[in-house]
Amino acid sequence: MKIRVIGLTLLSVLFFASCSSDAEETINAADLDTIKRVVSKIEDETVWSVELEKDRLSQNITSNAELFAPGINLTKDNSRILKMYTPAVYPSFSDFGSLDVSKTEYKFITSAEEICSYISSNDQENLFTCFSSNYRFNYVFFVQELKRDWKVNMETDFSLSDALFERFILGEAFCTENLVQIPARFYCNKGFLDVTLYMSSVQEKSVYNIKIVRWGKNV
C-alpha cells in the first residue's frame, strides 16, 4: 500500500512539473511573438532619412593618408611628414581678398606691419617718415582724406591725439619688380577701413602712397 501511494505521489509531481514547464515555454513563446510584432510595427511606421555619403561612410578614412602613401595609416610620426605635403589653408573675405601672405617676402610684411601700426595709433610723425621723400605729398592727401571721411563713416570727430584703430590685418600682396601692393584692413568699434599700401620693392619702410579703398560700418 505504501508503495502505491509513493508511486502516485511521484507521478503527480512529475505531471505538475511537466505542466509547469510547458506553460513556461508557452508564455515565453507568446512574449517573443508579441515583441516581434511590436518591432515589425515600429519598422513599418518609421520614416527613414536619405542616406548621405553612402560610399564615404563605407570607406576606411585616414585623413589625407591616401595622398601620402596608399595602405599606410596616419600616425603621430608620419603625420609630421604628411603636413609637409599638405598646402596650408588661409581665410579669405569676399570684399577684401585672401589673407595668404606666405608668398610675400618677410621684410615687406614687417615693413607693412610697422606702417599699419603707425596708422592704427595715429602716429602722424612716424607715418610721415615712412613716405619716400619724393612722394611725401601723398601723405598729405591720405591724412586729409582720412580726416574728411572719418566723421561721415565712423560718426565721431577725428582726433590727432587718439588712437584710430584697435587692430589690423594684411592681405595677399601683389609684387612687381619695382612695386609691392599690400592690402590692409583696420578695425575699430565703429567699423573698418580698407587701404592699399604702395611700397618700394628695394627700400624697406618706403611708401609711395596709401590709398583708401573702402569704409565699412558695423551693423
Side-chain angles (χ1 to χ4, degrees):
M1 183 70 178
K2 290 182 179 178
I3 295 175
R4 290 181 180 179
V5 172
I6 292 172
L8 290 174
T9 303
L10 180 60
L11 288 174
S12 299
V13 170
L14 292 174
F15 173 77
F16 284 115
S18 175
C19 290
S20 176
S21 176
D22 292 342
E24 191 175 65
E25 290 180 1
T26 302
I27 292 173
N28 290 339
D31 290 343
L32 182 61
D33 184 59
T34 301
I35 293 172
K36 286 181 179 179
R37 287 200 306 271
V38 171
V39 172
S40 178
K41 185 173 185 248
I42 292 174
E43 288 180 344
D44 293 338
E45 294 177 354
T46 300
V47 179
W48 299 96
S49 62
V50 179
E51 187 174 11
L52 300 176
E53 296 186 314
K54 179 179 179 180
D55 296 335
R56 183 176 176 83
L57 293 175
S58 63
Q59 295 175 358
N60 180 20
I61 300 174
T62 55
S63 184
N64 292 327
E66 295 82 1
L67 301 177
F68 175 57
I72 297 180
N73 291 330
L74 191 65
T75 65
K76 290 182 179 179
D77 294 328
N78 61 31
S79 64
R80 298 187 183 95
I81 302 175
L82 180 61
K83 288 180 180 178
M84 297 172 58
Y85 298 91
T86 304
V89 178
Y90 295 87
S92 178
F93 300 121
S94 59
D95 60 345
F96 181 74
S98 173
L99 303 187
D100 181 7
V101 296
S102 61
K103 301 179 182 67
T104 308
E105 289 188 51
Y106 180 73
K107 63 180 180 181
F108 297 137
I109 296 299
T110 54
S111 294
E113 288 177 342
E114 189 169 348
I115 293 166
C116 289
S117 68
Y118 294 149
I119 297 174
S120 296
S121 60
N122 203 8
D123 188 342
Q124 301 289 327
E125 183 177 352
N126 279 319
L127 181 60
F128 176 76
T129 61
C130 290
F131 277 78
S132 176
S133 58
N134 294 331
Y135 293 90
R136 284 181 176 166
F137 60 90
N138 282 329
Y139 162 81
V140 178
F141 294 150
F142 168 70
V143 174
Q144 285 181 344
E145 185 178 2
L146 185 65
K147 289 180 180 179
R148 184 185 68 237
D149 296 341
W150 179 269
K151 185 175 180 60
V152 175
N153 291 281
M154 298 303 182
E155 299 177 347
T156 57
D157 293 328
F158 183 90
S159 173
L160 289 174
S161 59
D162 296 333
L164 300 179
F165 302 101
E166 300 166 355
R167 61 187 178 92
F168 64 85
I169 58 174
L170 300 178
E172 185 176 10
F174 175 75
C175 302
T176 64
E177 185 177 351
N178 300 314
L179 183 67
V180 178
Q181 300 179 40
I182 301 182
R185 172 169 288 186
F186 299 85
Y187 291 94
C188 68
N189 60 347
K190 294 292 185 179
F192 66 86
L193 169 67
D194 288 347
V195 306
T196 300
L197 306 177
Y198 295 84
M199 303 168 55
S200 169
S201 61
V202 295
Q203 185 178 354
E204 295 182 27
K205 290 190 294 183
S206 181
V207 182
Y208 296 145
N209 192 14
I210 301 178
K211 183 180 179 181
I212 294 178
V213 178
R214 182 185 301 103
W215 292 87
K217 291 182 180 179
N218 291 335
V219 179

